[in-house]
Amino acid sequence: MKITQQTFGRFKEYVLENPLTNEKVQILPELGGIIHQLSLHNTTGVHKVINCGNTQEELLASLLSYPSTHLFPWANRVKSGKYSFEGKEYQLPLNEVLLQNALHGFVYFSAFQVIETNTDAQKASLTIQYVYKGGYVGYPFPFQLNIQHTLSSKGLELHYQITNIGDSNLPISLGWHPYFSIEGETKNDWQVKFLSTHEYLLDAQMCPVDRLEKSYKNGFDLDGQTIDAVFAVEQHPIVEAVLSSKKQALNIHVWQEAAQQQFNYTVVYTPDTGNSIAIEPMTAPTNALNSTENLRVIAPQNTYSVRCGVYLS
């Protein structure tokens, strides 16, 4: 296993690679730690399952959809950008102008630092870090976010570690926002299944107002379907969403730790283009800074840790 560096436009890109299988994870630390491309192996060969653009221009054009970004310190929306925490009211900037919400936190395109690399015969790992001292409007809670990426025979694993480096409690939710695709196919060729228990009903600002029991553990065909919804998932040490091709022997497994107060939610979204699907592990539903549902509150000097990842079969 090896780690190399290369340039991608004006960005430095780190590549975790298995030379025996040609599997690769390509990461842009300077651009929010985006996983720019991901190629994994199964019995039929190597498949590129994440591709945020083959050129810098293609990548920059895609950024409005937050491809492969890390959503923190809140995932999805804060309704109207307003919330209260421990008796104080806060107003966040409204970066989702059409719906007038605060969307996806603020680390998604921020510069991370590479703090550790490791390789051996079985794996390659890269850890990036973002340190926040409290200057973002409406969110005065310092934190340190470490993300370790590990490529091994088990695919890609992401290990998030969030440390409260302030002197007051830290309210957070976390998500990963990957768009998966299968080269040469569209969503009409795919089936998806995941261990949902409930789907959230959303208001005009795409924030939850209720939830209904909904299970997709038996899967459904995406042909002719559109979906953009937040789901609670079954609580287990690990749960998986599986995206399957009906044309070839290929399954993309998106796994997440889902014990109590871990990745207990999944967002599933099919963009209008029809050639990708977002399957997003989340620690809390949309608007958790207001609902407080599964909102994680980290005490000073404490660390919260959670994992997710991808493999093929």
mmCIF file of all heavy atoms in Angstrom, residues 25-60:
data_model
loop_
_atom_site.group_PDB
_atom_site.id
_atom_site.type_symbol
_atom_site.label_atom_id
_atom_site.label_comp_id
_atom_site.label_asym_id
_atom_site.label_seq_id
_atom_site.Cartn_x
_atom_site.Cartn_y
_atom_site.Cartn_z
ATOM 1 N N VAL A 25 -8.126 6.037 -3.237
ATOM 2 C CA VAL A 25 -8.908 7.089 -2.594
ATOM 3 C C VAL A 25 -8.158 8.393 -2.833
ATOM 4 O O VAL A 25 -6.989 8.508 -2.456
ATOM 5 C CB VAL A 25 -9.078 6.860 -1.086
ATOM 6 C CG1 VAL A 25 -10.012 7.914 -0.490
ATOM 7 C CG2 VAL A 25 -9.579 5.457 -0.798
ATOM 8 N N GLN A 26 -8.810 9.371 -3.466
ATOM 9 C CA GLN A 26 -8.163 10.634 -3.813
ATOM 10 C C GLN A 26 -8.829 11.757 -3.016
ATOM 11 O O GLN A 26 -10.037 11.990 -3.131
ATOM 12 C CB GLN A 26 -8.261 10.878 -5.315
ATOM 13 C CG GLN A 26 -7.537 9.792 -6.113
ATOM 14 C CD GLN A 26 -7.793 9.847 -7.605
ATOM 15 O OE1 GLN A 26 -8.166 8.840 -8.212
ATOM 16 N NE2 GLN A 26 -7.578 11.007 -8.211
ATOM 17 N N ILE A 27 -8.011 12.439 -2.188
ATOM 18 C CA ILE A 27 -8.521 13.366 -1.174
ATOM 19 C C ILE A 27 -7.917 14.744 -1.400
ATOM 20 O O ILE A 27 -6.733 14.877 -1.690
ATOM 21 C CB ILE A 27 -8.154 12.855 0.235
ATOM 22 C CG1 ILE A 27 -8.720 11.447 0.458
ATOM 23 C CG2 ILE A 27 -8.676 13.806 1.312
ATOM 24 C CD1 ILE A 27 -8.062 10.708 1.597
ATOM 25 N N LEU A 28 -8.746 15.778 -1.243
ATOM 26 C CA LEU A 28 -8.317 17.170 -1.384
ATOM 27 C C LEU A 28 -8.410 17.865 -0.018
ATOM 28 O O LEU A 28 -9.431 18.486 0.309
ATOM 29 C CB LEU A 28 -9.192 17.899 -2.405
ATOM 30 C CG LEU A 28 -9.188 17.333 -3.829
ATOM 31 C CD1 LEU A 28 -10.234 18.031 -4.689
ATOM 32 C CD2 LEU A 28 -7.811 17.464 -4.462
ATOM 33 N N PRO A 29 -7.376 17.769 0.816
ATOM 34 C CA PRO A 29 -7.448 18.386 2.156
ATOM 35 C C PRO A 29 -7.728 19.877 2.116
ATOM 36 O O PRO A 29 -8.443 20.402 2.991
ATOM 37 C CB PRO A 29 -6.070 18.087 2.752
ATOM 38 C CG PRO A 29 -5.601 16.876 2.029
ATOM 39 C CD PRO A 29 -6.110 17.034 0.631
ATOM 40 N N GLU A 30 -7.176 20.591 1.128
ATOM 41 C CA GLU A 30 -7.355 22.045 1.066
ATOM 42 C C GLU A 30 -8.778 22.455 0.709
ATOM 43 O O GLU A 30 -9.153 23.612 0.889
ATOM 44 C CB GLU A 30 -6.400 22.629 0.023
ATOM 45 C CG GLU A 30 -4.937 22.390 0.303
ATOM 46 C CD GLU A 30 -4.086 22.672 -0.922
ATOM 47 O OE1 GLU A 30 -4.179 21.913 -1.906
ATOM 48 O OE2 GLU A 30 -3.333 23.665 -0.887
ATOM 49 N N LEU A 31 -9.571 21.519 0.197
ATOM 50 C CA LEU A 31 -10.947 21.806 -0.201
ATOM 51 C C LEU A 31 -11.900 20.983 0.649
ATOM 52 O O LEU A 31 -12.633 20.131 0.176
ATOM 53 C CB LEU A 31 -11.151 21.521 -1.690
ATOM 54 C CG LEU A 31 -12.456 22.014 -2.313
ATOM 55 C CD1 LEU A 31 -12.534 23.546 -2.283
ATOM 56 C CD2 LEU A 31 -12.607 21.506 -3.741
ATOM 57 N N GLY A 32 -11.847 21.218 1.956
ATOM 58 C CA GLY A 32 -12.781 20.571 2.867
ATOM 59 C C GLY A 32 -12.535 19.091 3.077
ATOM 60 O O GLY A 32 -13.381 18.399 3.645
ATOM 61 N N GLY A 33 -11.374 18.587 2.613
ATOM 62 C CA GLY A 33 -11.138 17.155 2.730
ATOM 63 C C GLY A 33 -12.031 16.327 1.829
ATOM 64 O O GLY A 33 -12.277 15.140 2.088
ATOM 65 N N ILE A 34 -12.534 16.922 0.746
ATOM 66 C CA ILE A 34 -13.413 16.206 -0.184
ATOM 67 C C ILE A 34 -12.737 14.928 -0.674
ATOM 68 O O ILE A 34 -11.559 14.929 -1.035
ATOM 69 C CB ILE A 34 -13.768 17.110 -1.382
ATOM 70 C CG1 ILE A 34 -14.800 18.159 -0.979
ATOM 71 C CG2 ILE A 34 -14.299 16.305 -2.556
ATOM 72 C CD1 ILE A 34 -15.117 19.141 -2.079
ATOM 73 N N ILE A 35 -13.481 13.836 -0.672
ATOM 74 C CA ILE A 35 -13.027 12.617 -1.348
ATOM 75 C C ILE A 35 -13.376 12.797 -2.815
ATOM 76 O O ILE A 35 -14.520 12.599 -3.242
ATOM 77 C CB ILE A 35 -13.668 11.374 -0.727
ATOM 78 C CG1 ILE A 35 -13.204 11.235 0.728
ATOM 79 C CG2 ILE A 35 -13.304 10.129 -1.531
ATOM 80 C CD1 ILE A 35 -13.885 10.145 1.493
ATOM 81 N N HIS A 36 -12.380 13.188 -3.559
ATOM 82 C CA HIS A 36 -12.570 13.611 -4.947
ATOM 83 C C HIS A 36 -12.945 12.438 -5.844
ATOM 84 O O HIS A 36 -13.877 12.516 -6.666
ATOM 85 C CB HIS A 36 -11.284 14.294 -5.422
ATOM 86 C CG HIS A 36 -11.187 14.500 -6.878
ATOM 87 N ND1 HIS A 36 -10.022 14.295 -7.582
ATOM 88 C CD2 HIS A 36 -12.108 14.884 -7.786
ATOM 89 C CE1 HIS A 36 -10.223 14.543 -8.851
ATOM 90 N NE2 HIS A 36 -11.485 14.904 -8.999
ATOM 91 N N GLN A 37 -12.226 11.330 -5.683
ATOM 92 C CA GLN A 37 -12.542 10.126 -6.435
ATOM 93 C C GLN A 37 -12.286 8.910 -5.552
ATOM 94 O O GLN A 37 -11.380 8.919 -4.716
ATOM 95 C CB GLN A 37 -11.732 10.033 -7.731
ATOM 96 C CG GLN A 37 -12.062 11.133 -8.727
ATOM 97 C CD GLN A 37 -11.464 10.902 -10.108
ATOM 98 O OE1 GLN A 37 -10.630 10.025 -10.297
ATOM 99 N NE2 GLN A 37 -11.898 11.690 -11.080
ATOM 100 N N LEU A 38 -13.098 7.868 -5.770
ATOM 101 C CA LEU A 38 -12.952 6.616 -5.037
ATOM 102 C C LEU A 38 -13.146 5.463 -6.004
ATOM 103 O O LEU A 38 -14.201 5.348 -6.633
ATOM 104 C CB LEU A 38 -13.975 6.538 -3.896
ATOM 105 C CG LEU A 38 -14.049 5.211 -3.135
ATOM 106 C CD1 LEU A 38 -12.733 4.933 -2.409
ATOM 107 C CD2 LEU A 38 -15.216 5.213 -2.144
ATOM 108 N N SER A 39 -12.120 4.630 -6.115
ATOM 109 C CA SER A 39 -12.182 3.440 -6.965
ATOM 110 C C SER A 39 -11.922 2.221 -6.091
ATOM 111 O O SER A 39 -10.885 2.137 -5.414
ATOM 112 C CB SER A 39 -11.132 3.504 -8.078
ATOM 113 O OG SER A 39 -11.347 4.623 -8.916
ATOM 114 N N LEU A 40 -12.855 1.264 -6.097
ATOM 115 C CA LEU A 40 -12.752 0.059 -5.280
ATOM 116 C C LEU A 40 -12.894 -1.181 -6.150
ATOM 117 O O LEU A 40 -13.379 -1.118 -7.284
ATOM 118 C CB LEU A 40 -13.816 0.071 -4.175
ATOM 119 C CG LEU A 40 -13.705 1.190 -3.134
ATOM 120 C CD1 LEU A 40 -14.878 1.137 -2.165
ATOM 121 C CD2 LEU A 40 -12.384 1.118 -2.375
ATOM 122 N N HIS A 41 -12.530 -2.316 -5.582
ATOM 123 C CA HIS A 41 -12.402 -3.564 -6.334
ATOM 124 C C HIS A 41 -13.404 -4.593 -5.828
ATOM 125 O O HIS A 41 -13.665 -4.683 -4.629
ATOM 126 C CB HIS A 41 -10.966 -4.094 -6.158
ATOM 127 C CG HIS A 41 -10.678 -5.363 -6.878
ATOM 128 N ND1 HIS A 41 -10.881 -6.610 -6.324
ATOM 129 C CD2 HIS A 41 -10.190 -5.585 -8.136
ATOM 130 C CE1 HIS A 41 -10.524 -7.539 -7.193
ATOM 131 N NE2 HIS A 41 -10.105 -6.954 -8.293
ATOM 132 N N ASN A 42 -13.972 -5.362 -6.772
ATOM 133 C CA ASN A 42 -14.691 -6.584 -6.415
ATOM 134 C C ASN A 42 -14.287 -7.676 -7.402
ATOM 135 O O ASN A 42 -13.302 -7.521 -8.142
ATOM 136 C CB ASN A 42 -16.206 -6.357 -6.353
ATOM 137 C CG ASN A 42 -16.858 -6.219 -7.716
ATOM 138 O OD1 ASN A 42 -16.182 -6.113 -8.746
ATOM 139 N ND2 ASN A 42 -18.169 -6.218 -7.744
ATOM 140 N N THR A 43 -15.007 -8.753 -7.450
ATOM 141 C CA THR A 43 -14.601 -9.878 -8.299
ATOM 142 C C THR A 43 -14.667 -9.560 -9.786
ATOM 143 O O THR A 43 -14.058 -10.262 -10.596
ATOM 144 C CB THR A 43 -15.473 -11.112 -8.003
ATOM 145 O OG1 THR A 43 -16.859 -10.759 -8.192
ATOM 146 C CG2 THR A 43 -15.256 -11.605 -6.578
ATOM 147 N N THR A 44 -15.393 -8.526 -10.167
ATOM 148 C CA THR A 44 -15.504 -8.170 -11.587
ATOM 149 C C THR A 44 -14.497 -7.112 -12.008
ATOM 150 O O THR A 44 -14.454 -6.737 -13.171
ATOM 151 C CB THR A 44 -16.933 -7.677 -11.912
ATOM 152 O OG1 THR A 44 -17.193 -6.459 -11.201
ATOM 153 C CG2 THR A 44 -17.966 -8.722 -11.525
ATOM 154 N N GLY A 45 -13.698 -6.594 -11.063
ATOM 155 C CA GLY A 45 -12.686 -5.602 -11.407
ATOM 156 C C GLY A 45 -12.768 -4.359 -10.550
ATOM 157 O O GLY A 45 -13.388 -4.358 -9.474
ATOM 158 N N VAL A 46 -12.151 -3.281 -11.021
ATOM 159 C CA VAL A 46 -12.113 -2.007 -10.306
ATOM 160 C C VAL A 46 -13.236 -1.111 -10.816
ATOM 161 O O VAL A 46 -13.443 -0.988 -12.035
ATOM 162 C CB VAL A 46 -10.753 -1.306 -10.487
ATOM 163 C CG1 VAL A 46 -10.758 0.064 -9.805
ATOM 164 C CG2 VAL A 46 -9.641 -2.164 -9.915
ATOM 165 N N HIS A 47 -13.945 -0.484 -9.891
ATOM 166 C CA HIS A 47 -15.073 0.373 -10.244
ATOM 167 C C HIS A 47 -14.906 1.729 -9.562
ATOM 168 O O HIS A 47 -14.691 1.792 -8.339
ATOM 169 C CB HIS A 47 -16.397 -0.257 -9.805
ATOM 170 C CG HIS A 47 -16.644 -1.599 -10.415
ATOM 171 N ND1 HIS A 47 -17.310 -1.762 -11.604
ATOM 172 C CD2 HIS A 47 -16.288 -2.852 -10.002
ATOM 173 C CE1 HIS A 47 -17.379 -3.051 -11.896
ATOM 174 N NE2 HIS A 47 -16.764 -3.726 -10.932
ATOM 175 N N LYS A 48 -14.999 2.792 -10.335
ATOM 176 C CA LYS A 48 -14.966 4.143 -9.776
ATOM 177 C C LYS A 48 -16.377 4.480 -9.313
ATOM 178 O O LYS A 48 -17.281 4.670 -10.127
ATOM 179 C CB LYS A 48 -14.479 5.150 -10.810
ATOM 180 C CG LYS A 48 -14.278 6.556 -10.254
ATOM 181 C CD LYS A 48 -13.743 7.505 -11.323
ATOM 182 C CE LYS A 48 -12.325 7.165 -11.700
ATOM 183 N NZ LYS A 48 -11.754 8.142 -12.665
ATOM 184 N N VAL A 49 -16.576 4.585 -8.000
ATOM 185 C CA VAL A 49 -17.918 4.762 -7.449
ATOM 186 C C VAL A 49 -18.167 6.178 -6.940
ATOM 187 O O VAL A 49 -19.318 6.545 -6.674
ATOM 188 C CB VAL A 49 -18.204 3.728 -6.339
ATOM 189 C CG1 VAL A 49 -18.190 2.319 -6.921
ATOM 190 C CG2 VAL A 49 -17.212 3.851 -5.185
ATOM 191 N N ILE A 50 -17.105 6.976 -6.773
ATOM 192 C CA ILE A 50 -17.241 8.406 -6.502
ATOM 193 C C ILE A 50 -16.357 9.142 -7.497
ATOM 194 O O ILE A 50 -15.176 8.802 -7.657
ATOM 195 C CB ILE A 50 -16.824 8.773 -5.068
ATOM 196 C CG1 ILE A 50 -17.802 8.189 -4.039
ATOM 197 C CG2 ILE A 50 -16.744 10.295 -4.889
ATOM 198 C CD1 ILE A 50 -17.409 8.457 -2.585
ATOM 199 N N ASN A 51 -16.942 10.128 -8.162
ATOM 200 C CA ASN A 51 -16.172 10.953 -9.101
ATOM 201 C C ASN A 51 -16.736 12.358 -9.079
ATOM 202 O O ASN A 51 -17.820 12.609 -9.604
ATOM 203 C CB ASN A 51 -16.230 10.382 -10.517
ATOM 204 C CG ASN A 51 -15.338 11.139 -11.480
ATOM 205 O OD1 ASN A 51 -14.667 12.098 -11.088
ATOM 206 N ND2 ASN A 51 -15.323 10.726 -12.743
ATOM 207 N N CYS A 52 -16.006 13.283 -8.461
ATOM 208 C CA CYS A 52 -16.454 14.672 -8.362
ATOM 209 C C CYS A 52 -15.933 15.529 -9.509
ATOM 210 O O CYS A 52 -16.011 16.755 -9.442
ATOM 211 C CB CYS A 52 -16.017 15.273 -7.033
ATOM 212 S SG CYS A 52 -16.670 14.433 -5.588
ATOM 213 N N GLY A 53 -15.390 14.890 -10.541
ATOM 214 C CA GLY A 53 -14.921 15.636 -11.697
ATOM 215 C C GLY A 53 -13.555 15.176 -12.147
ATOM 216 O O GLY A 53 -12.668 14.937 -11.315
ATOM 217 N N ASN A 54 -13.365 15.047 -13.445
ATOM 218 C CA ASN A 54 -12.079 14.637 -13.991
ATOM 219 C C ASN A 54 -11.134 15.815 -14.214
ATOM 220 O O ASN A 54 -9.943 15.620 -14.440
ATOM 221 C CB ASN A 54 -12.283 13.873 -15.300
ATOM 222 C CG ASN A 54 -12.976 12.538 -15.071
ATOM 223 O OD1 ASN A 54 -12.602 11.783 -14.186
ATOM 224 N ND2 ASN A 54 -14.010 12.272 -15.856
ATOM 225 N N THR A 55 -11.677 17.036 -14.151
ATOM 226 C CA THR A 55 -10.864 18.243 -14.264
ATOM 227 C C THR A 55 -11.230 19.184 -13.122
ATOM 228 O O THR A 55 -12.295 19.044 -12.492
ATOM 229 C CB THR A 55 -11.097 18.965 -15.598
ATOM 230 O OG1 THR A 55 -12.449 19.472 -15.624
ATOM 231 C CG2 THR A 55 -10.882 18.030 -16.786
ATOM 232 N N GLN A 56 -10.347 20.153 -12.861
ATOM 233 C CA GLN A 56 -10.658 21.143 -11.840
ATOM 234 C C GLN A 56 -11.939 21.888 -12.168
ATOM 235 O O GLN A 56 -12.756 22.179 -11.285
ATOM 236 C CB GLN A 56 -9.498 22.133 -11.681
ATOM 237 C CG GLN A 56 -9.797 23.247 -10.685
ATOM 238 C CD GLN A 56 -8.658 24.226 -10.533
ATOM 239 O OE1 GLN A 56 -7.780 24.018 -9.722
ATOM 240 N NE2 GLN A 56 -8.673 25.305 -11.323
ATOM 241 N N GLU A 57 -12.149 22.175 -13.449
ATOM 242 C CA GLU A 57 -13.357 22.909 -13.858
ATOM 243 C C GLU A 57 -14.614 22.101 -13.555
ATOM 244 O O GLU A 57 -15.620 22.643 -13.082
ATOM 245 C CB GLU A 57 -13.269 23.253 -15.346
ATOM 246 C CG GLU A 57 -12.225 24.300 -15.701
ATOM 247 C CD GLU A 57 -10.794 23.798 -15.575
ATOM 248 O OE1 GLU A 57 -10.583 22.551 -15.709
ATOM 249 O OE2 GLU A 57 -9.884 24.629 -15.335
ATOM 250 N N GLU A 58 -14.568 20.800 -13.829
ATOM 251 C CA GLU A 58 -15.724 19.953 -13.526
ATOM 252 C C GLU A 58 -15.971 19.895 -12.025
ATOM 253 O O GLU A 58 -17.130 19.947 -11.574
ATOM 254 C CB GLU A 58 -15.493 18.550 -14.071
ATOM 255 C CG GLU A 58 -15.555 18.444 -15.577
ATOM 256 C CD GLU A 58 -15.267 17.046 -16.082
ATOM 257 O OE1 GLU A 58 -14.951 16.156 -15.251
ATOM 258 O OE2 GLU A 58 -15.359 16.833 -17.293
ATOM 259 N N LEU A 59 -14.910 19.788 -11.248
ATOM 260 C CA LEU A 59 -15.072 19.759 -9.795
ATOM 261 C C LEU A 59 -15.685 21.051 -9.281
ATOM 262 O O LEU A 59 -16.664 21.027 -8.521
ATOM 263 C CB LEU A 59 -13.719 19.524 -9.125
ATOM 264 C CG LEU A 59 -13.706 19.678 -7.591
ATOM 265 C CD1 LEU A 59 -14.584 18.629 -6.939
ATOM 266 C CD2 LEU A 59 -12.287 19.618 -7.050
ATOM 267 N N LEU A 60 -15.133 22.195 -9.682
ATOM 268 C CA LEU A 60 -15.637 23.474 -9.186
ATOM 269 C C LEU A 60 -17.089 23.694 -9.596
ATOM 270 O O LEU A 60 -17.876 24.267 -8.837
ATOM 271 C CB LEU A 60 -14.753 24.614 -9.684
ATOM 272 C CG LEU A 60 -13.302 24.604 -9.158
ATOM 273 C CD1 LEU A 60 -12.501 25.737 -9.777
ATOM 274 C CD2 LEU A 60 -13.264 24.688 -7.641
#
